């Protein structure tokens, strides 16, 4: 079954939908819609994925779950590198992020790349919210198709 | 055991993503007819690209009549949605048929609330069929005639052949 292609197509249409209307669309509003769709998807998805697994022992354990199992399910590969300052900031490096591989490498379309990361930021935030971690997720691209996601856990 | 089957779960990823998209459209548009139209248009865009993926993956060969085309559509449903719909209810002229699904994977976790009864939740599928056929020179119409979300006991899409499209040659190149 070729369901990963279907996900890619739906995602592309979601991105093009929120930006339809061209110049008039506010970038912030469009990105926030994508983020919201990602959140709703991640929140529900993780509930189904983790139904049979045991409790994660700590925050780092949850992050490892995101980097390995979740990433493989959604993006067909693991996160290449996970770094943390042990104070609630986690940085996930993906050297070949699936949703960016449809775009040309290099700098030409760099300015459009964040549009293709917003859904995933929401997805990660939704997954973590359902696992009991409240956080802010942001993403950054320096060189297509590599990118990094930063998770800042909110405490208190 | 479904939760442990990664294939099944990544199918759910697409189902859930689609659900979030439809929810967003319902928030953005006041009128469900506009949502239905927008879903069809998205499907059309997807179909235009999906056909290429389908030709590359399945290598389906040439269609000689609409029955061949119907078989290919059935094959594509299996490939992309993991369901095997049945093809039937041919019109006497052989230009119209139904694609019938016993279960609709797109609508697996869905219930329509009362104020959305006019919503054709899976309308994206009709657009995909139209877009994909157009790229292989077939103009078709596709629409839902039965939907399990509305209490029917199966989901049925009607497809009607309109005409064959001729390759349009740009002016001055003939």
């Amino acid at each position: 079954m070729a369901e990963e292609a279907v996900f890619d197509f739906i995602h592309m249409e979601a991105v093009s939908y929120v930006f339809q209307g061209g110049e008039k669309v506010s970038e912030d509003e469009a990105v926030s819609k994508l983020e919201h769709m990602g959140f709703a998807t991640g929140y529900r998805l993780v509930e189904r994925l983790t139904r049979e697994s045991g409790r994660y022992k700590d925050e780092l354990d949850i992050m490892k779950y995101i980097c390995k199992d979740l990433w493989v399910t959604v993006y067909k590969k693991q996160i290449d590198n996970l770094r943390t300052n042990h104070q609630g900031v986690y940085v996930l490096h993906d050297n070949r992020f699936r949703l960016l591989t449809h775009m040309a490498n290099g700098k030409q379309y760099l300015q459009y790349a964040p549009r293709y990361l917003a859904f995933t930021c929401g997805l990660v935030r939704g997954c973590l919210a359902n696992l009991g971690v409240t956080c802010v997720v942001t993403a950054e691209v320096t060189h297509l198709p590599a990118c990094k996601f930063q998770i800042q856990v909110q405490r208190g | 055991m479904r939760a442990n089957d990664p294939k099944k779960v990544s199918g759910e990823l697409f189902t859930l993503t689609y659900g979030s998209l439809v929810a967003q459209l319902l928030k953005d548009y006041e009128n469900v007819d506009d949502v239905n139209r927008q879903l069809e248009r998205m499907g059309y865009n997807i179909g235009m690209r999906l056909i290429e993926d389908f030709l590359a993956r399945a290598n389906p060969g040439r269609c000689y009549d609409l029955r061949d085309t119907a078989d290919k559509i059935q094959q594509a449903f299996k490939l992309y949605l993991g369901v095997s719909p049945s093809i039937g209810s041919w019109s006497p002229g052989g230009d119209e048929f139904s694609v019938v699904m016993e279960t609709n994977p797109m609508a697996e976790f869905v219930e329509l609330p009362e104020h959305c009864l006019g919503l054709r939740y899976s309308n994206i599928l009709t657009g995909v069929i139209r877009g994909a056929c157009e790229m292989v020179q077939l103009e078709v119409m596709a629409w839902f005639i039965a939907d399990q979300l509305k209490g029917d006991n199966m989901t049925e899409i009607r497809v009607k052949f309109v005409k064959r499209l001729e390759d349009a040659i740009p002016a001055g190149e003939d």
Side-chain angles (χ1 to χ4, degrees):
Chain A
M1 207 176 125
E3 73 283 299
E4 71 278 3
V6 182
F7 170 71
D8 290 356
F9 284 122
I10 298 271
H11 178 263
M12 279 183 225
E13 278 310 307
V15 175
S16 100
Y17 163 69
V18 298
F19 285 99
Q20 80 187 10
E23 306 279 296
K24 293 196 299 287
V25 185
S26 117
E27 185 91 13
D28 286 351
E29 194 186 327
V31 163
S32 129
K33 280 183 188 173
L34 284 171
E35 214 266 355
H36 185 79
M37 283 186 248
F39 182 88
T41 306
Y43 196 88
R44 295 179 172 98
L45 181 72
V46 82
E47 193 160 85
R48 308 188 69 78
L49 290 174
T50 55
R51 196 163 42 180
E52 323 254 304
S53 40
R55 181 173 277 273
Y56 298 104
K57 75 178 191 308
D58 54 21
E59 207 173 86
L60 185 62
D61 210 24
I62 293 177
M63 295 303 163
K64 286 182 182 160
Y65 165 77
I66 299 285
C67 294
K68 292 183 176 158
D69 303 31
L70 180 80
W71 225 256
V72 169
T73 305
V74 181
Y75 302 110
K76 313 295 164 202
K77 71 184 279 297
Q78 293 189 3
I79 280 287
D80 295 292
N81 192 334
L82 166 66
R83 280 163 196 265
T84 175
N85 66 355
H86 298 287
Q87 286 169 13
V89 176
Y90 298 85
V91 181
L92 285 59
H93 290 262
D94 191 330
N95 297 335
R96 195 179 154 72
F97 183 58
R98 197 184 147 76
L99 298 177
L100 295 177
T101 52
H102 299 289
M103 299 167 78
N105 291 358
K107 295 217 179 287
Q108 191 182 0
Y109 296 107
L110 200 58
Q111 57 164 319
Y112 298 111
R115 298 179 174 188
Y116 293 86
L117 303 175
F119 179 87
T120 302
C121 288
L123 185 98
V124 172
R125 193 169 68 83
C127 287
L128 288 170
N130 200 336
L131 295 172
V133 179
T134 311
C135 60
V136 176
V137 182
T138 50
E140 200 182 307
V141 199
T142 42
H143 196 85
L144 288 161
C147 66
K148 62 180 181 189
F149 295 93
Q150 177 164 325
I151 301 170
Q152 175 122 36
V153 178
Q154 313 277 294
R155 303 199 202 272
Chain B
M1 286 303 96
R2 292 175 6 152
N4 290 335
D5 179 353
K7 278 227 148 135
K8 176 72 197 167
V9 169
S10 48
E12 288 176 356
L13 165 70
F14 137 71
T15 306
L16 293 170
T17 307
Y18 182 66
S20 312
L21 179 63
V22 177
Q24 184 63 49
L25 292 179
L26 285 168
K27 224 181 278 174
D28 290 350
Y29 292 100
E30 282 173 15
N31 189 334
V32 284
D33 292 334
D34 291 337
V35 176
N36 293 336
R37 235 189 319 276
Q38 181 65 42
L39 285 172
E40 207 272 345
R41 189 185 316 159
M42 289 177 163
Y44 176 76
N45 294 341
I46 291 177
M48 288 201 299
R49 300 186 187 131
L50 189 79
I51 185 75
E52 228 170 287
D53 188 81
F54 178 65
L55 295 175
R57 266 179 219 268
N59 193 16
R62 183 171 282 275
C63 292
Y64 291 96
D65 58 14
L66 197 64
R67 281 175 196 271
D68 282 349
T69 309
D71 285 345
K72 305 293 193 259
I73 291 175
Q74 185 183 34
Q75 197 184 344
F77 268 73
K78 194 171 166 70
L79 184 64
Y80 293 105
L81 293 179
V83 289
S84 300
S86 54
I87 302 290
S89 312
W90 284 89
S91 63
D95 65 341
E96 205 180 307
F97 61 91
S98 288
V99 180
V100 180
M101 289 188 283
E102 299 278 326
T103 54
N104 177 3
M106 322 250 328
E108 204 177 345
F109 312 118
V110 180
E111 271 178 39
L112 287 188
E114 292 216 346
H115 64 277
C116 295
L117 290 180
L119 177 69
R120 291 195 289 274
Y121 182 84
S122 312
N123 214 30
I124 200 164
L125 292 177
T126 60
V128 172
I129 293 175
R130 185 167 72 87
C133 287
E134 190 173 304
M135 286 294 114
V136 287
Q137 268 77 37
L138 282 178
E139 186 178 332
V140 301
M141 292 198 294
W143 66 96
F144 275 91
I145 57 170
D147 188 342
Q148 278 151 320
L149 290 177
K150 308 215 173 129
D152 298 314
N153 53 10
M154 35 117 171
T155 297
E156 181 169 356
I157 302 171
R158 198 81 183 142
V159 181
K160 183 179 169 53
F161 170 79
V162 180
K163 65 172 189 235
R164 280 187 65 164
L165 300 165
E166 300 298 331
D167 273 329
I169 300 166
E173 297 212 358
D174 47 350

